[in-house]
Amino acid sequence: MNNMKKIGIIGCGWLGTHMAERLATQHEIFVTTTSESKIKNLSDKGYHVTKVSFPDDITGTIAEWEITSQLDAVIVTVPFSGVRGAEISLKERNENLLTFLGDYKGQLFLMSSTGVYPDLEKEFIEEDRSADEVPSENFIKNRFPQVNILRLAGLMGDQRLLKNYNISNLEQLVNHIHYADICTVVEKMLNNESQSKVYNVVAPVHPNKEEIISAQKDLPYSGSRTTQGRTISPSKLISDLNFEFHYPDPRYFHLESI
């Protein structure tokens, strides 16, 4: 039996919107958006909407989200790190988020990125980089030790397909994840009431870019796949949650899941 929970989603961008749609079938959804123009659309879907942004300076205008004490879970999808390799300090943005969360005690999820791992040709596991060493993760962990940190690979699915982009380095192995699998990970962790976990959320198959584009354009691919590259392992997620990916192979992200 699944009890209906009150779930807050901070940041209703591409991923936040997909999560809200999935979770709304079983839960009551509270979302934040920075955009006045999105409020009606989100309200029409039955979500409770708060307009707030997390500026990169302390403006004094951020107040605590008045409904946090009622929420069973909060999912943070706003980015709190710079691009890969550049640990830009977003200290003010971080402080604004902490103020907004107040002294929240419930289940908490931070959407992080596999960009926290260095650009080296090896397979990375979670223990290779502790959350304590990652500024964009430890700022929230220090205040909310219960936070679950999900290190997401490149977000794909829907209209986000490699064939739609101008791609270079075609022989490079990918670390991708379909948004539907991220939603399923969160659902499982909600049901398990998981606390203080760090997981790589990455499809287990790492084809190269050319293989994926060929599959998405329905073209044959006769090349071979290198075994050299930077790959991120989801094995901890798979074993802890007994997790099965709907979309384990990025070559087939464009196909509807059966």
Side-chain angles (χ1 to χ4, degrees), residues 17-254:
T17 303
H18 276 302
M19 283 194 170
E21 284 171 2
R22 169 80 82 89
L23 294 170
T25 59
Q26 293 179 310
H27 304 292
E28 190 176 356
I29 303 296
F30 298 75
V31 299
T32 77
T33 179
T34 57
S35 154
E36 190 71 43
S37 60
K38 280 189 173 178
I39 293 175
K40 183 180 185 312
N41 177 277
L42 293 166
S43 299
D44 288 350
K45 291 181 174 175
Y47 312 150
H48 308 272
V49 187
T50 302
K51 182 173 179 246
V52 64
S53 59
F54 298 96
D56 293 337
D57 52 28
I58 299 285
T59 58
T61 55
I62 294 266
E64 184 177 337
W65 200 9
E66 65 279 3
I67 50 103
T68 46
S69 59
Q70 303 165 39
L71 298 176
D72 299 292
V74 171
I75 302 165
V76 180
T77 72
V78 181
F80 285 92
S81 62
V83 295
R84 181 159 115 198
E87 288 287 3
I88 304 164
S89 172
L90 299 175
K91 189 169 187 314
E92 284 75 17
R93 186 186 291 191
N94 299 351
E95 290 299 327
N96 285 327
L97 176 72
L98 297 177
T99 301
F100 191 65
L101 286 171
D103 64 348
Y104 179 66
K105 301 281 194 292
Q107 199 179 14
L108 184 60
F109 295 85
L110 176 71
M111 299 298 121
S112 183
S113 161
T114 54
V116 303
Y117 299 109
D119 201 357
L120 300 172
E121 296 209 337
K122 60 165 279 189
E123 181 180 66
F124 287 96
I125 59 171
E126 290 82 356
E127 289 70 26
D128 287 326
R129 191 111 198 265
S130 149
D132 299 317
E133 301 171 69
V134 180
S136 57
E137 295 176 350
N138 75 11
F139 84 93
I140 195 167
K141 183 176 173 229
N142 288 343
R143 176 78 64 88
F144 301 100
Q146 79 268 31
V147 69
N148 296 301
I149 295 169
L150 301 185
R151 293 174 174 169
L152 308 180
L155 300 178
M156 292 287 164
D158 201 3
Q159 297 308 304
R160 286 197 179 196
L161 299 171
L162 277 191
K163 70 172 183 179
N164 297 337
Y165 297 94
N166 188 6
I167 300 296
S168 57
N169 300 340
L170 287 174
E171 70 295 333
Q172 187 176 43
L173 302 184
V174 305
N175 295 286
H176 285 173
I177 183 69
H178 194 291
Y179 72 82
D181 281 322
I182 303 172
C183 294
T184 309
V185 168
V186 170
E187 283 176 332
K188 278 206 146 195
M189 294 179 75
L190 285 168
N191 290 339
N192 291 353
E193 300 187 350
S194 304
Q195 303 266 343
S196 309
K197 303 293 186 191
V198 178
Y199 291 130
N200 294 331
V201 185
V202 187
V205 182
H206 304 279
N208 70 37
K209 294 175 186 177
E210 189 174 2
E211 288 178 86
I212 296 173
I213 293 166
S214 298
Q216 290 172 354
K217 291 183 171 177
D218 221 7
L219 298 169
Y221 174 75
S222 57
S224 59
R225 184 183 302 172
T226 174
T227 53
Q228 276 296 101
R230 175 183 177 275
T231 57
I232 316 292
S233 168
S235 45
K236 182 178 171 192
L237 173 80
I238 293 167
S239 63
D240 275 19
L241 293 179
N242 194 19
F243 192 75
E244 285 185 46
F245 287 82
H246 282 297
Y247 293 94
D249 189 334
R251 284 177 298 180
Y252 309 117
F253 279 7
H254 60 301

